[in-house]
Amino acid sequence: MAKRKNNAGTVKKKQITEKNLKTNRNYKDTVFRMLFSDRKNLLSLYNAVNGTSYKNPEELEIVTLENAIYMGMKNDLAFIIATNLFLYEHQSTYNPNMALRSLIYLVHILEKWIKKNKIDLYSRNEIKIPVPRFAVFYNGTDKRPERQRMKLSDMFDKPCENPEVEVICDVYNINSGYNEELKKSSPTLREYMDFVDKVCYYKSVTDGSNDAVEMAIDDCIKEGILVEFLTERRSETNY
């Protein structure tokens, strides 16, 4: 009986550990998607990245692939503004395959857009589509440059001087000390990173406890960081 009890305890401990690891990986992505699914916050981020000054969030047409997972990948944010189609992805773990992933997302988003607008691909008239633009926001623990450009052609088996298909992704390192002007231009992005930094700090002093997220939320609310968001969506944030 004692042996069986010890085995049960080991299994339970393993399940808790796996849950902690999942939380460690997911909270950054979850909060980023929830924050910037809000049109006002997304417009602020768009203006910061592009040096523009759009004021009306309703000018954004959200086209994110909701509840659509392809090959285990899920699109974070996609929107159309001023005849451009922007795909924004968040990266808490460095992934060199973002150009290929972005191409896959783009194809599915355009399929959705074509269907929504009842466009006939076999029409004799030339179809005009929004200009695709790709950006990735990185805040993982690996040391990465402030800004990096990923190209689909860099992934080809052999060098291709004039690729017939190309995708270019700009990767922005948003960790502390990187792209500070970008974060200054987008207060929501800056406060998001303040929250992430607090979670990382509490994880370091509590040996990775799930309580780290709760403690970070309490600190942020006291200090006026993402107050409304964290108050209203606390349970979703601590996932």
Side-chain angles (χ1 to χ4, degrees):
M1 286 293 290
K3 186 176 181 181
R4 194 174 297 170
K5 197 171 185 180
N6 287 341
N7 287 344
T10 301
V11 170
K12 185 176 181 182
K13 185 175 181 181
K14 182 180 178 183
Q15 289 173 339
I16 292 171
T17 302
E18 289 174 349
K19 184 179 178 182
N20 287 350
L21 288 172
K22 184 178 180 182
T23 301
N24 289 348
R25 289 196 302 266
N26 288 352
Y27 83 91
K28 292 182 185 179
D29 300 329
T30 301
V31 174
F32 185 89
R33 280 195 301 269
M34 288 193 299
L35 262 177
F36 292 103
S37 292
D38 180 279
R39 276 187 168 84
K40 184 179 177 181
N41 293 338
L42 185 55
L43 185 63
S44 167
L45 182 58
Y46 166 80
N47 283 332
V49 171
N50 295 280
T52 50
S53 55
Y54 285 89
K55 304 293 185 187
N56 183 8
E58 295 306 313
E59 291 186 56
L60 289 171
E61 179 189 351
I62 306 293
V63 292
T64 304
L65 292 172
E66 297 293 345
N67 301 317
I69 300 179
Y70 179 73
M71 294 173 64
M73 303 179 299
K74 189 169 183 178
N75 172 226
D76 284 339
L77 298 164
F79 60 98
I80 296 172
I81 185 171
T83 70
N84 291 292
L85 168 58
F86 290 88
L87 281 79
Y88 284 178
E89 293 294 317
H90 174 267
Q91 205 177 66
S92 54
T93 304
Y94 176 69
N95 186 307
N97 304 311
M98 287 309 303
L100 179 56
R101 287 173 56 177
S102 295
L103 176 62
I104 293 169
Y105 296 145
L106 174 64
V107 170
H108 285 277
I109 287 168
L110 284 178
E111 284 179 338
K112 177 183 171 184
W113 180 81
I114 286 168
K115 185 176 180 180
K116 178 183 176 182
N117 290 281
K118 298 180 180 178
I119 292 171
D120 180 7
L121 287 175
Y122 300 96
S123 168
R124 293 176 61 87
N125 299 320
E126 184 179 62
I127 298 166
K128 298 296 182 183
I129 65 174
V131 180
R133 310 280 185 189
F134 308 93
V136 177
F137 301 92
Y138 169 79
N139 64 352
T141 55
D142 293 342
K143 191 169 179 62
R144 303 300 308 166
E146 182 165 76
R147 186 169 174 178
Q148 178 185 0
R149 179 157 280 191
M150 293 183 178
K151 293 183 178 181
L152 183 68
S153 57
D154 290 339
M155 300 176 67
F156 293 169
D157 268 341
K158 60 181 180 180
C160 181
E161 202 168 302
N162 297 299
E164 294 184 15
V165 177
E166 183 65 287
V167 172
I168 299 172
C169 288
D170 286 320
V171 184
Y172 299 88
N173 186 341
I174 55 174
N175 282 303
S176 181
Y178 296 89
N179 285 298
E180 294 299 333
E181 283 301 314
L182 177 66
K183 286 179 279 188
K184 184 179 178 181
S185 299
S186 175
T188 304
L189 184 64
R190 186 192 67 243
E191 291 186 22
Y192 162 73
M193 281 309 302
D194 289 341
F195 167 71
V196 169
D197 288 342
K198 285 182 181 295
V199 176
C200 290
Y201 167 73
Y202 280 118
K203 283 187 179 295
S204 70
V205 299
T206 60
D207 198 26
S209 168
N210 280 353
D211 291 339
V213 178
E214 284 291 336
M215 289 187 280
I217 290 173
D218 288 339
D219 269 11
C220 285
I221 292 173
K222 288 176 187 175
E223 296 174 22
I225 298 168
L226 300 178
V227 175
E228 184 178 347
F229 173 81
L230 292 175
T231 302
E232 291 180 356
R233 309 190 71 168
R234 186 177 194 123
S235 61
E236 297 169 83
T237 300
N238 199 0
Y239 170 72

